[in-house]
Amino acid sequence: MNPQFSDFMLPEALARGLTKAGFETPTPVQAQVIPLAQDGVDLLVSAATGSGKTAAFLLPIMQQLLDARAPRSATRALILVPTRELARQIYIHFMRLASVTRLTAGVIIGGERRDRQIAVLRRNPDILVATPGRLLEYIQASAADLTDLEVLVLDEADRMLDMGFAEDVLTIIGFTNPARQSLLFSATLHHKGLSSITDRLLRDPQVLVINPVRESHPDIAHQVILSDDTEHKQQQLLWLLQNEPAEKVLIFTNTRERAIALGPLLVGQGQRTVVLHGELDQRERNRVMGLVHGGAVRILVATDVAARGLDIPGVQLVINFELARSGDDYLHRTGRTGRAGEKGLAIALVGPKDWNLMESIERYLGLSFQARAIPGLKAKFSGPTKRKGPRKSPSKANKAAPATEKPKVKERERDRKAIGKRRKPTASAQAGLSPLRKQGS
Ligand code: AMP
């Protein structure tokens, strides 16, 4: 029988919080993490964005804080996250679950006023949700105290490493109570820098691989539309926005410049659009996200860095205007749709320069993109043609056909071996769509 929230013997107040949040049954990550976390063991968890991991760590923490009140303690639980948006989302999640408790939480993130944050710290909230850089400032200035810390969570640890936070995180760990429980969540456990943190953080951890990031979400259909060049992509994008019924659409670009260029172009065509990129200050980011959450705009154009950790309910369509640079990034992007069991659609616009990357993402993820063409906007490009006919010797073939270049996607030997085992029929059942036909293969 599937586990139920009642199996976890959570305090009545949390059970009510779950009902208020509309959470009826635990997601797989919650079903596995909660009982182990309740036992007090350290955990190393691979769980994708959108899997329900936030409640998986919040609920046992909140239970512990409720079961043993300790008003004189300094901060009792700390959740470290890579981005401000993720910190805010976790705080909102906490507020929903804690609505009928007296538990308190504070958010410490860069880009916000220090006097307000000092005031938050003085109130000594039970839980702190923080990005590493700003928190470290306060610890070093003795404005934050982690010596009583009971639980430390590192959320999206792989992102934290990608964003260069490893050293700050290690320094913060050094300031915490050594008797704490530690829970580390990461989309992938293959990240090469991860051991530098896990070695310092975790004691005899239980490793849970719940929803490996490379296993694509079963509720997302992955489509590819071939394009000739940027201008052609813009026309196709506009067609999609005008013809796809999605409530909210997230468009990814690889550069800030491209995101900034697309915004006004779409607005000029009557599409309610905002742009999120890494250079916006906190006020601008809040404004942009407020417009998206409030439904004033339908379309968000974003770069990877800007979109990390975003949880935007109702995203039914993710468009890769430019293909993500790695398979993991592709899954992070497309994981913004199809959340909490909803159906989602991911469409990549693939030009001649993107072809190799597309193939390597397919291989890396064991995924079959479905080919789709837009009537009247079909590309002349139909895949690399030079591989047709008998194969040349590898070296000559390489010269003649750039399609066989080494894939840019991070592909490790271990990962490659595992692909066949993980391969799943994914979205290929989508009606009216053919698997992407590769020339010469
Ligand atoms: P997370 O991976 O924690 O960001 O959660 C992804 C989304 O799933 C959020 O919008 C949550 O509100 C939602 N969610 C988390 N747990 C549950 C649950 N047990 N039932 C329904 N929705 C959930």
Side-chain angles (χ1 to χ4, degrees):
M1 211 175 76
N2 289 337
Q4 299 297 312
F5 280 119
S6 55
D7 299 339
F8 306 138
M9 314 293 280
L10 294 166
E12 169 62 20
L14 292 184
R16 281 169 58 200
L18 282 168
T19 310
K20 277 191 149 185
F23 295 1
E24 286 170 11
T25 48
T27 65
V29 67
Q30 290 160 1
Q32 293 195 51
V33 165
I34 293 172
L36 287 170
Q38 286 174 323
D39 284 346
V41 295
D42 283 2
L43 294 179
L44 175 58
V45 185
S46 157
T49 308
S51 58
K53 62 188 166 58
T54 314
F57 59 75
L58 278 181
L59 288 167
I61 290 176
M62 293 165 79
Q63 174 176 27
Q64 180 169 334
L65 301 185
L66 285 169
D67 283 352
R69 297 298 285 163
R72 273 182 239 284
S73 281
T75 305
R76 298 181 67 191
L78 169 65
I79 299 157
L80 279 180
V81 297
T83 64
R84 301 159 187 185
E85 273 76 23
L86 185 57
R88 288 172 191 291
Q89 276 159 27
I90 291 173
Y91 180 74
I92 292 166
H93 221 103
F94 166 82
M95 293 301 278
R96 276 199 289 174
L97 294 173
S99 59
V100 290
T101 73
R102 289 198 180 170
L103 294 175
T104 53
V107 176
I108 301 295
I109 52 183
E112 300 229 317
R113 281 175 51 175
R114 287 181 169 73
D115 54 343
R116 294 214 184 122
Q117 294 187 333
I118 297 283
V120 167
L121 290 169
R122 288 220 178 101
R123 286 198 290 276
N124 191 22
D126 299 302
I127 301 178
L128 278 185
V129 188
T131 49
R134 183 60 71 89
L135 178 69
L136 190 54
E137 259 184 53
Y138 293 128
I139 296 173
Q140 285 167 338
S142 302
D145 178 359
L146 303 178
T147 51
D148 290 334
L149 200 71
E150 293 167 41
V151 188
L152 173 57
V153 177
L154 255 59
D155 194 15
E156 301 205 355
D158 53 335
R159 292 291 181 195
M160 213 114 69
L161 290 163
D162 287 343
M163 293 174 76
F165 283 135
E167 214 166 295
D168 285 356
V169 169
L170 289 173
T171 314
I172 291 172
I173 293 172
F175 281 100
T176 61
N177 171 12
R180 63 173 197 272
Q181 179 187 22
S182 305
L183 312 175
L184 185 145
F185 290 78
S186 181
T188 169
L189 299 185
H190 298 303
H191 199 293
K192 62 180 182 312
L194 208 57
S195 61
S196 68
I197 292 188
T198 53
D199 291 351
R200 279 279 294 282
L201 181 75
L202 303 169
R203 266 173 319 210
D204 300 330
Q206 288 251 11
V207 181
L208 298 176
V209 181
I210 288 149
N211 188 5
V213 69
R214 291 183 44 212
E215 229 174 66
S216 67
H217 199 308
D219 292 324
I220 302 175
H222 298 268
Q223 299 178 354
V224 154
I225 297 177
L226 295 182
S227 312
D228 290 323
D229 49 34
T230 303
E231 204 180 314
H232 190 207
K233 282 189 180 185
Q234 287 169 354
Q235 292 166 354
Q236 292 172 319
L237 177 65
L238 205 57
W239 187 94
L240 289 169
L241 296 175
Q242 286 162 347
N243 290 279
E244 281 290 335
E247 188 189 321
K248 280 184 189 154
V249 185
L250 190 48
I251 301 170
F252 280 99
T253 63
N254 287 351
T255 62
R256 179 161 34 102
E257 289 72 23
R258 177 79 70 212
I260 292 170
L262 272 185
L265 191 110
L266 298 179
V267 171
Q269 297 293 325
Q271 299 292 329
R272 290 173 292 130
T273 307
V274 280
V275 177
L276 191 72
H277 59 77
E279 294 291 292
L280 296 185
D281 68 26
Q282 192 58 37
R283 268 225 341 259
E284 291 166 327
R285 292 168 80 90
N286 291 349
R287 190 186 64 82
V288 165
M289 290 318 294
L291 291 169
V292 176
H293 282 294
V297 298
R298 174 179 174 237
I299 299 154
L300 176 66
V301 182
T303 56
D304 292 285
V305 172
R308 267 169 203 169
L310 283 189
D311 180 24
I312 312 167
V315 174
Q316 289 156 347
L317 173 60
V318 170
I319 300 178
N320 282 287
F321 188 82
E322 290 157 315
L323 208 47
R325 292 189 181 108
S326 76
D328 285 342
D329 279 345
Y330 177 82
L331 276 197
H332 274 288
R333 288 180 176 189
T334 55
R336 312 287 154 188
T337 180
R339 303 193 80 157
E342 288 177 2
K343 293 261 176 255
L345 174 60
I347 303 176
L349 303 180
V350 169
K353 286 187 207 147
D354 306 311
W355 181 272
N356 290 349
L357 191 53
M358 179 199 70
E359 284 197 324
S360 47
I361 288 176
E362 270 194 319
R363 279 197 303 275
Y364 181 72
L365 300 176
L367 188 93
S368 295
F369 284 116
Q370 300 155 350
R372 174 174 171 180
I374 298 176
L377 287 173
K378 226 174 152 213
K380 292 187 199 80
F381 170 64
S382 61
T385 50
K386 288 185 179 157
R387 269 198 278 165
K388 273 184 177 171
R391 263 201 185 282
K392 299 183 177 140
S393 69
S395 58
K396 278 185 191 155
N398 277 344
K399 268 188 205 146
T404 54
E405 270 170 25
K406 213 171 157 215
K408 289 187 193 104
V409 171
K410 289 177 270 173
E411 222 185 54
R412 299 167 193 89
E413 190 57 32
R414 196 157 40 143
D415 296 338
R416 249 178 278 139
K417 281 183 192 150
I419 283 178
K421 292 178 202 147
R422 290 205 188 131
R423 191 179 286 270
K424 274 183 159 188
T426 49
S428 53
Q430 176 97 349
L433 296 159
S434 55
L436 197 67
R437 193 165 298 136
K438 287 167 219 155
Q439 307 271 323
S441 58

